[in-house]
Structure formats: C-alpha cells, structure tokens
Amino acid sequence: MDFVAIDFETANSLRTSVCSIGIVQVKNGEIKEEIHTLINPLSEFHYYNTKIHGITEDMVISAPTFEEFWPNFKGFIDNQMIIAHNASFDISVLRASLNNFHETYPNFQYGCSYQIAKKVWPDLYNHKLSTVSNYLGISLRHHDALEDARAAALITLEALQKTQTNSIQDLSKIHKLKIGTPMPTKKQVSRPKKSNADVFIQSLETEISSPNRKHPLYGANIVFTGRMISMTRVQAAQLAVNCGANCKGGVDSNTNVLVVGDNDLVKYVQGVKSTKMKKAEEMIRQGMPIEIVGEQDFLRLVKV
C-alpha cells in the first residue's frame, strides 16, 4: 500500500505552465509526507486558470521553476507507483514539462483515482474529485494542488480497503484497470471531420491592436457547436478572437468554453447533443473546467 499521489495546477492551457504542485507520499497505507510548492511557470497567467485555482503571477515571482524543483520532485516519484485524479492530464503535464528542458522521464507506474472510483463506486452520479470526496467524507478545497493530491490518495486508500487489496496493481487486476508508464503509447484515433467554418476560425487573427488582457475571455480556448441565430459561427469567432480568445475546431482538455448556438440550445436542454457537447460533458464529469454557454450568454460576454 505504498504510492505517491500528485496534482498539478497550470497558469494557462499549456501543459508546460505548471504553477503549483501537490505531492502526498503514502507508506504502508498511511500518509507519511506532504509537499506543496508554488512554481514559477515563466509563462502568462490566463483569466480562466486563475479563476479556478486563485494563483496569480505575483504569487509565484519568487517560486522555483519546474526545472529547479525537479530534483526534489523526482526523489518522490522515481521508481514509485503514482496516483492522480484524471491521471492522463497530470502525466501529460509531467511529460511536457520534462520535455521542455530536455530531461529524461523517470521510472514509475501510474494509476488513476478517477478510474478506480468509477469501478469501486459505480453508482455515484459522477466521479469528479469533489463528488467522490464528498461521498467518502473527505475534506477538500478543490483546485488546491495539495488538497487535490491528498484527496486522490485518500480515495485510493478507501478503494483498497473496500476491495480488500494491498496494492494498486492488485486492485487494477480485479477491475481490469490499466497501469500506465511514462512513455506515451501511440494509437490511431478516428476524429470527426471538422466543418469548413471550424477549420477557418482557427486561422482568425484579432482585428484589435491590443486586446484587453483583463477581459473574461482573454486567453480562453473557445469551441462553437450548433447553428447560431444572430450571426455566423465565423463572425462569432471573430468577436471572441478580438477579445483575446483562441478559437478551436474541436473540444479537448485545453477547452475552456463551448458555445452552443441558440438554434441547437433547446435541443441540448431536451437531451439532443452534438458530438462536441457529449465530449465536453464527459470531460466536465472528469473534472475538467469547461463551461457550456448559450449564444446569448456568449454575446453578453464578448461585450464586457
């Protein structure tokens, strides 16, 4: 029952923009040590990220960079079993951060407390960190890196106890869960074809010489779905780009806002959902901070 739970917070949508790290070391089924540090990402803080975790550029000025903190961090995770909630995100952040200064990956295996919770407590209405923590009576100040890492550790310990197993490997065998390694696996992914509008909006450039950096949409990654009533999707995307947003053709883990055209909003409320809507909802269930807004709410946002 030895493992290390980790969590990252990022300053923006880049995986290399770590601004906080939480580490919880578990030995013999008990928490032995906890580490929390702010990290200077040497990167710009975006409004949406700060809104989520509360960390600002001023707070990390004197903090170590990821490269500077790495020798200490590596000492905790090298040759260990790692746990994180929605581990695919945290491990991709770790890989990208190490690639950023040409550091080799350490040796470790990792499991996901989100996937573990889905198997051990399948009847919960979702398996977000806050939902599972609340169900198990675990205190949580969500999006604090140490609190999130501790919650992931305690969820895993509860799962081990419930299944009467002594290791994450044994738990994974029972529920047929994948144990990951640092090296990413290559796989063929079939992607839905993007519309011409989706392709075009990714090349849009701002018509404003200096977008307002304090605008709520500045730095946000925005995706559009459904037919809009008040304007075309390209026109809406141009308004967003003028606010400093980045418009993308598909939903992924970097998406901050999914805008649903009013023509499809009623269908959405009634349960008829596009592929983008379904993907956004699934990622929200996994704890990704994606907001789904209607056309009119979007128009009010761009006019702020």
Side-chain angles (χ1 to χ4, degrees):
M1 298 178 76
D2 296 353
F3 60 89
V4 178
I6 64 172
D7 184 76
F8 297 111
E9 300 295 330
T10 57
N12 53 58
S13 61
L14 297 176
R15 294 291 197 268
T16 54
S17 68
V18 174
C19 62
S20 179
I21 301 174
I23 307 168
V24 174
Q25 185 184 59
V26 176
K27 289 286 188 181
N28 297 320
E30 295 183 357
I31 292 176
K32 179 183 178 182
E33 188 171 358
E34 296 184 339
I35 299 291
H36 177 258
T37 184
L38 293 176
I39 296 291
N40 188 336
L42 304 176
S43 185
E44 188 174 42
F45 279 77
H46 286 180
Y47 166 83
Y48 270 91
N49 295 66
T50 294
K51 179 181 176 183
I52 291 165
H53 51 55
I55 302 171
T56 65
E57 187 173 350
D58 291 341
M59 295 168 64
V60 302
I61 289 176
S62 60
T65 64
F66 190 96
E67 184 174 4
E68 290 169 340
F69 184 68
W70 173 240
N72 189 24
F73 189 16
K74 182 180 179 180
F76 279 94
I77 67 172
D78 200 16
N79 296 312
Q80 299 297 317
M81 168 62 71
I82 307 301
I83 279 290
H85 207 76
N86 192 26
S88 59
F89 169 78
D90 294 276
I91 298 304
S92 69
V93 168
L94 178 59
R95 288 187 187 118
S97 298
L98 293 176
N99 291 343
N100 198 40
F101 62 97
H102 310 291
E103 177 69 21
T104 56
Y105 301 155
N107 294 314
F108 63 83
Q109 293 182 309
Y110 71 88
C112 178
S113 55
Y114 172 81
Q115 297 296 338
I116 290 171
K118 283 183 70 176
K119 293 292 188 178
V120 178
W121 299 282
D123 295 332
L124 292 182
Y125 65 92
N126 69 46
H127 295 83
K128 292 165 59 175
L129 189 63
S130 55
T131 302
V132 183
S133 296
N134 183 62
Y135 175 75
L136 296 175
I138 297 170
S139 175
L140 175 65
R141 187 170 70 251
H142 202 9
H143 297 300
D144 174 286
L146 181 57
E147 293 262 333
D148 287 359
R150 185 189 301 122
L154 292 174
I155 288 168
T156 302
L157 288 172
E158 289 280 355
L160 289 168
Q161 183 176 358
K162 183 175 175 62
T163 57
Q164 298 183 334
T165 51
N166 293 318
S167 70
I168 294 166
Q169 290 91 336
D170 289 343
L171 176 62
S172 298
K173 287 178 182 177
I174 291 173
H175 290 293
K176 298 180 180 179
L177 292 168
K178 180 182 177 182
I179 296 293
T181 62
M183 295 305 296
T185 56
K186 295 182 179 180
K187 57 182 180 180
Q188 296 293 327
V189 179
S190 58
R191 301 181 183 275
K193 292 183 178 179
K194 295 179 180 178
S195 69
N196 291 335
D198 283 339
V199 173
F200 182 73
I201 64 175
Q202 296 181 83
S203 65
L204 291 174
E205 295 183 359
T206 180
E207 299 170 331
I208 309 297
S209 57
S210 298
N212 179 8
R213 291 176 175 267
K214 295 184 178 180
H215 191 282
L217 293 180
Y218 186 86
N221 291 310
I222 298 179
V223 177
F224 294 87
T225 188
R227 188 166 64 85
M228 305 187 78
I229 293 175
S230 59
M231 63 189 69
T232 66
R233 189 180 296 183
V234 172
Q235 289 171 327
Q238 186 64 67
L239 291 176
V241 170
N242 289 347
C243 295
N246 306 302
C247 292
K248 305 294 185 181
V251 174
D252 58 27
S253 58
N254 294 322
T255 302
N256 301 117
V257 181
L258 176 66
V259 179
V260 183
D262 277 355
N263 191 65
D264 284 14
L265 192 57
V266 173
K267 297 179 183 177
Y268 173 61
V269 173
Q270 293 173 342
V272 180
K273 303 169 185 178
S274 68
T275 301
K276 292 177 184 176
M277 295 175 193
K278 291 177 181 177
K279 187 170 183 180
E281 287 188 337
E282 175 58 28
M283 299 187 84
I284 290 169
R285 284 192 289 271
Q286 295 179 22
M288 298 289 187
I290 300 175
E291 295 185 43
I292 299 176
V293 302
E295 182 177 336
Q296 296 307 312
D297 287 335
F298 166 75
L299 293 177
R300 282 191 284 270
L301 270 175
V302 296
K303 292 175 182 177
V304 171

